[in-house]
Amino acid sequence: MASPTAFPRSRHTLRWLELPAGLLLALGLVLLLAAALEWRYADRIWPGVYIGEVAVGGLTETEARARWAATLPDPQQSLWIVQGPGFRQEVSMADLGAHIDEAGTLQDAMAIGRGGGLADWPERIQVWWSGRSVPSRIIIDKDRLEAQIAAWAAAIDRPPRDARLSLRGSQVLPIPAETGRRLDRAAARERLLTALATLQPAVLDLPIKILPPALEDVEPARTQLTQWLQAPIRLVLPTGTLPVSPSVKGPWILSPQDLAEMVTLVRVEAPRPHLEAQIDENRLRAWLAPLAEALRADPVDARFVFDEAEGRLIPITPARFGYRMVLTDTLVRIRESLSTPNREVPVAIELLPPRYPETVTAEALGITGRIAQATTIFKGSSPARVRNITLGAARMHGILIPPGEVFSFNAHLGDVSLDAGFEEAPIIYNGRTIRGVGGGICQVSTTLFRAAFFGGFPIVERWPHAYRVGWYERTFGPGLDAAIFTPTADFKFRNDREGPVLITAHVDPQAGTLTFTLYGPDDGRKVIIEGPFVTNVVPHGPDIYEEDPTLPKGKVVQVEWAVDGADVRVRRRVERGGTVLWEDMVFTRYQPWPAVFKVGTGGP
């Protein structure tokens, strides 16, 4: 009989068979227990798992939700107290834009020990033995959270305030510095996120940063400013003889109150932040402006006549120095006085010498003789008109015009008023003859215009009268009159010679004549006048009668005299050594003018 076939045994089989039977039994029991536990907790959270402090191990997800949810705070109910400087506020999860993700949290709890494979068992045993807590998942609306932090920052943040000075009148009051504060937003955010992770009631102190002021000591500036405002500053004229007006005496007081309004406090950073008091120069200049105006006078040249026989100048009015306040120097003196006990400040004055003192000679000025002369006749004028002519001519008499300068009749005429000595006489105003102060002055301007015209001087400005005036046609004819009316109509001419030109005026009341003579250097020029040429004559209209209730009834007074209109041309040619230097022409269009009579309609 054949023997049975022998099957070979594997090495692993032999090893299992070689293990003790007790060990094999224990291993089998462990595998059986693991399988049983796997089956038991297939839909349950592994034992030892907590959500926060709530034990949910061994529970299904539904059971765990019910147990855990019962411990959760109401999102709308206050859970924390947040406090900071000056406020205390109860805060809920909703206030922070947060809510609990229940499903996500339960998923986290269920996932513990469920990685897959035998490797899960060490974790399961560790969880069962030691326990493991799963934090609640919190979903946060970042915009809502940042808005809440920003609202707290708005209530807390306060910038530091530097120490400063306050001026009440001339009193200097120090105001102490104040520290500032600022919410540390990053730290506050972390503190809130930590509180949301625990969901436990708590008092949360917001983290605050203290901001120190940069400038705390203003005592040096207070001392400086107190010294400045200790007493008024007295501005006085410097000692010595000054040609100032008697009405300008001084002193002028710069009071501490006035000075305080000019003070500015400037923050200076180096070497360390501090305050410095400074004077606002613009305000001080504005305060000094009226004084500068009062302490200002132009120099006055001497006036002369020319002795033709001896060829010399004779002074008739002495020269006067002018003066002006030197503003920059006065400002410096005021600043220097602020730091000294001496509060009296001499105003800085500059003397302005005249161009032509009474000691100047004709030889020095190059005046050799007569350049031109013109005469007009006013005989038959009223005494008031003669008075005005005489006074106006006197204001031109003896003037020296520097070379290159433009002479202005109105500038030298000055004030024309009753207070200045002028009287009322007929004037031409707005195309009509009326009574006005200074009537007759145009005879002065006309005569001087003719002298300048005959002397070959360039005419800068000249205005004719509206219609022909008989006073001005007795010596030359029409076309060379010059109307002036301050300040709109002026007569001007330029001294284009190399030396000054002297104007002299002579009024002969008996003959009724006014003569202007111009003296200066003889530069060889010759002036040829042609005309007047009268064309386009327009006859005047019929007489006009106007009722006047200010005149007695039936009385007739003539106030305008009839004159024809015309175009008048006067030509001038200026030559030197046979060469024509220039030619020009004066053109005037005169209006026709009827006679006007006032007829009285008043009472007897």
Side-chain angles (χ1 to χ4, degrees):
M1 182 172 178
S3 60
T5 303
F7 294 95
R9 294 182 180 180
S10 67
R11 185 181 302 172
H12 296 292
T13 303
L14 290 175
R15 288 179 178 176
W16 279 105
L17 292 177
E18 292 174 356
L19 293 174
L23 181 60
L24 291 174
L25 179 61
L27 182 60
L29 290 174
V30 168
L31 293 174
L32 182 62
L33 178 60
L37 290 174
E38 188 76 43
W39 174 80
R40 177 72 178 83
Y41 292 104
D43 59 348
R44 294 175 181 273
I45 300 171
W46 200 257
V49 174
Y50 293 78
I51 299 178
E53 297 181 358
V54 179
V56 294
L59 302 179
T60 65
E61 185 173 332
T62 301
E63 292 168 344
R65 182 190 298 272
R67 178 180 294 183
W68 173 50
T71 67
L72 294 179
D74 183 349
Q76 303 296 329
Q77 294 296 320
S78 298
L79 184 60
W80 305 283
I81 295 176
V82 176
Q83 61 186 13
F87 83 95
R88 181 182 177 91
Q89 179 181 342
E90 295 183 352
V91 178
S92 67
M93 294 178 62
D95 293 332
L96 302 179
H99 67 275
I100 300 172
D101 181 2
E102 295 183 10
T105 304
L106 290 168
Q107 288 176 5
D108 292 343
M110 185 66 75
I112 291 178
R114 300 184 190 279
L118 294 177
D120 289 341
W121 282 102
E123 181 185 14
R124 292 173 178 177
I125 293 171
Q126 190 273 334
V127 169
W128 173 76
W129 182 262
S130 301
R132 180 178 297 180
S133 179
V134 175
S136 300
R137 275 196 190 187
I138 306 296
I139 297 177
I140 300 174
D141 182 344
K142 292 184 178 180
D143 292 339
R144 179 74 178 273
L145 178 62
E146 293 302 324
Q148 181 61 72
I149 293 175
W152 289 333
I156 292 173
D157 290 356
R158 184 184 69 192
R161 300 185 68 179
D162 291 338
R164 57 197 187 277
L165 295 174
S166 174
L167 289 175
R168 294 182 182 175
S170 59
Q171 187 178 9
V172 185
L173 302 177
I175 300 176
E178 297 178 12
T179 58
R181 63 187 181 224
R182 183 173 65 240
L183 174 65
D184 186 339
R185 297 194 183 199
R189 187 182 304 108
E190 291 300 320
R191 194 164 294 182
L192 292 171
L193 292 176
T194 300
L196 285 169
T198 62
L199 294 179
Q200 295 299 314
V203 176
L204 304 179
D205 291 315
L206 291 175
I208 306 298
K209 289 185 177 180
I210 301 301
L211 307 176
L215 194 158
E216 298 185 67
D217 184 13
V218 294
E219 185 59 26
R222 189 194 70 81
T223 301
Q224 174 194 22
L225 199 50
T226 301
Q227 182 180 17
W228 284 12
L229 305 179
Q230 62 181 324
I233 294 175
R234 299 175 72 253
L235 295 170
V236 298
L237 290 175
T239 57
T241 302
L242 289 176
V244 297
S245 169
S247 61
V248 182
K249 297 179 180 179
W252 299 270
I253 306 300
L254 178 57
S255 69
Q257 291 76 16
D258 292 334
L259 192 59
E261 294 179 359
M262 303 173 190
V263 169
T264 57
L265 292 168
V266 180
R267 179 188 172 113
V268 180
E269 298 299 330
R272 60 183 180 82
H274 63 283
L275 290 181
E276 286 185 2
Q278 296 181 2
I279 295 295
D280 187 327
E281 186 170 301
N282 290 332
R283 294 183 181 178
L284 183 53
R285 284 177 178 270
W287 188 89
L288 289 171
L291 178 57
E293 186 65 26
L295 292 176
R296 179 180 180 85
D298 293 329
V300 177
D301 292 331
R303 294 201 178 196
F304 303 87
V305 293
F306 186 73
D307 186 333
E308 294 188 11
E310 298 185 8
R312 66 186 182 92
L313 291 175
I314 301 174
I316 57 175
T317 303
R320 292 201 307 271
F321 272 77
Y323 54 89
R324 69 178 182 91
M325 183 177 80
V326 184
L327 189 57
T328 54
D329 292 351
T330 304
L331 289 171
V332 170
R333 292 180 182 182
I334 291 175
R335 289 197 198 95
E336 291 175 348
S337 74
L338 294 175
S339 56
T340 66
N342 181 15
R343 312 296 280 186
E344 187 166 284
V345 176
V347 178
I349 297 291
E350 178 187 10
L351 293 179
L352 307 174
R355 291 171 298 186
Y356 303 120
E358 57 267 29
T359 56
V360 74
T361 65
E363 181 180 6
L365 299 181
I367 297 177
T368 58
R370 181 187 303 181
I371 295 174
Q373 188 176 76
T375 300
T376 59
I377 300 173
F378 59 82
K379 190 174 183 62
S381 295
S382 66
R385 189 170 188 272
V386 173
R387 165 68 177 169
N388 293 336
I389 291 171
T390 303
L391 187 56
R395 294 194 176 182
M396 309 297 148
H397 183 50
I399 293 174
L400 280 168
I401 309 172
E405 186 170 295
V406 173
F407 170 85
S408 166
F409 185 89
N410 285 348
H412 288 85
L413 179 64
D415 178 35
V416 179
S417 65
L418 295 175
D419 291 338
F422 290 93
E423 301 182 19
E424 288 190 349
I427 64 171
I428 298 176
Y429 177 74
N430 200 23
R432 297 294 301 270
T433 300
I434 63 173
R435 289 186 63 80
V437 177
I441 292 296
C442 289
Q443 181 123 16
V444 182
S445 58
T446 292
T447 310
L448 185 54
F449 161 60
R450 290 183 181 179
F453 189 73
F454 297 158
F457 293 97
I459 305 303
V460 176
E461 181 179 347
R462 172 259 177 184
W463 299 86
H465 290 83
Y467 51 84
R468 294 171 61 176
V469 180
W471 296 114
Y472 312 139
E473 298 185 7
R474 297 183 179 182
T475 55
F476 180 83
L480 284 187
D481 56 315
I484 64 99
F485 191 82
T486 304
T488 54
D490 196 0
F491 160 59
K492 298 178 182 179
F493 73 93
R494 177 180 290 105
N495 175 14
D496 63 341
R497 302 198 177 214
E498 295 182 357
V501 170
L502 173 65
I503 300 174
T504 64
H506 175 68
V507 177
D508 187 341
Q510 300 298 323
T513 59
L514 167 63
T515 300
F516 272 105
T517 305
L518 305 182
Y519 297 94
D522 182 6
D523 63 356
R525 76 179 65 182
K526 180 180 180 182
V527 181
I528 297 94
I529 307 296
E530 298 178 352
F533 302 102
V534 181
T535 60
N536 192 29
V537 176
V538 179
H540 64 79
D543 296 346
I544 296 175
Y545 293 87
E546 298 175 345
E547 293 183 349
D548 187 346
T550 64
L551 294 176
K553 185 174 182 179
K555 184 172 183 177
V556 178
V557 177
Q558 185 173 4
V559 294
E560 302 278 2
W561 279 259
V563 61
D564 293 340
D567 291 345
V568 180
R569 293 172 175 82
V570 179
R571 297 188 179 92
R572 178 175 67 163
R573 185 170 69 253
V574 181
E575 301 177 350
R576 180 186 293 124
T579 301
V580 177
L581 301 180
W582 73 82
E583 294 180 283
D584 59 2
M585 179 183 67
V586 176
F587 171 78
T588 307
R589 173 162 290 167
Y590 295 109
Q591 303 174 24
W593 205 253
V596 178
F597 297 87
K598 296 288 187 179
V599 179
T601 59

